[in-house]
Amino acid sequence: MRYNLSEIKSVIEDRRTIHPENFSTRKVHKEIVMELLDAAKWAPTHRYTQPWHFKVFMGDGLKKLSEFQSELYKQVKADSFDEGKYDKLRDRPLLATAIIGICMKRDEAERDPEVEEIASVSMAVQNMMLVAAAHGIGAFWASGGVTYWPQTKDWMELGEKDRFLGFLYLGYPKDGWPRKTRRKPQEYFTEWVEG
């Protein structure tokens, strides 16, 4: 065997969504974030369109993101404002060491269906999450809410056909993470057709 399959499987099985509220105060070094980004580029991509584009928020950039999304929420949801949601949007980014904005930049020639480009970006994010897990770093892909609002897409400087897909929060987890979770055995989600 070319690689240690046991270690590869362990990294895959240890990857967990760890919310920023469960991050410790230990900081993730920029060099490790760069290593995650380097792993992203090896995701499968049809015709090598490489549709992924990432915007990394660290240091004061986290404060800018915090202010942007909480104030945008206050503006857009003035009629149905929820103080708890506002606080979460304001405070959550400050719990992470780094947050990676996940973008899909559409191939100008639109040679592949959009869903395939989004899938490619998703695989790039999975690569980052696996490398994060190998380093013992917690990761959380946040979407919904402000993610899909046009103002966020503009703030991320994306074109009309590009898509903003969410934020990848990074931080070292507190003790006791990652917890093991149950998954259904393959018999529950696999159908074999052999003849």
Side-chain angles (χ1 to χ4, degrees), residues 80-98:
S80 59
F81 182 77
D82 179 319
E83 190 77 35
K85 286 183 182 179
Y86 173 83
D87 291 346
K88 191 173 190 178
L89 289 167
R90 183 195 62 212
D91 299 341
R92 202 173 226 191
L94 305 178
L95 300 173
T97 298

Side-chain angles (χ1 to χ4, degrees), residues 59-112:
D60 286 341
L62 294 168
K63 292 176 189 167
K64 289 179 182 174
L65 175 58
S66 165
E67 291 168 10
F68 166 75
Q69 66 179 13
S70 60
E71 292 306 311
L72 176 61
Y73 172 79
K74 184 190 284 186
Q75 195 177 56
V76 172
K77 295 292 188 176
D79 294 342
S80 59
F81 182 77
D82 179 319
E83 190 77 35
K85 286 183 182 179
Y86 173 83
D87 291 346
K88 191 173 190 178
L89 289 167
R90 183 195 62 212
D91 299 341
R92 202 173 226 191
L94 305 178
L95 300 173
T97 298
I99 299 175
I100 301 173
I102 305 164
C103 309
M104 185 277 290
K105 291 241 180 180
R106 190 78 165 105
D107 174 39
E108 288 185 20
E110 296 184 36
R111 295 174 289 172
D112 294 311

Side-chain angles (χ1 to χ4, degrees), residues 18-88:
I18 300 176
H19 295 96
E21 292 77 13
N22 294 306
F23 290 166
S24 71
T25 57
R26 182 179 171 197
K27 299 296 181 195
V28 178
H29 293 294
K30 184 177 182 178
E31 292 76 20
I32 293 177
V33 177
M34 292 170 68
E35 188 179 333
L36 270 59
L37 294 164
D38 199 50
K41 72 182 180 191
W42 296 106
T45 169
H46 288 174
R47 288 184 246 283
Y48 299 102
T49 59
Q50 302 178 55
W52 44 80
H53 180 81
F54 304 108
K55 188 171 276 198
V56 182
F57 299 88
M58 292 184 83
D60 286 341
L62 294 168
K63 292 176 189 167
K64 289 179 182 174
L65 175 58
S66 165
E67 291 168 10
F68 166 75
Q69 66 179 13
S70 60
E71 292 306 311
L72 176 61
Y73 172 79
K74 184 190 284 186
Q75 195 177 56
V76 172
K77 295 292 188 176
D79 294 342
S80 59
F81 182 77
D82 179 319
E83 190 77 35
K85 286 183 182 179
Y86 173 83
D87 291 346
K88 191 173 190 178

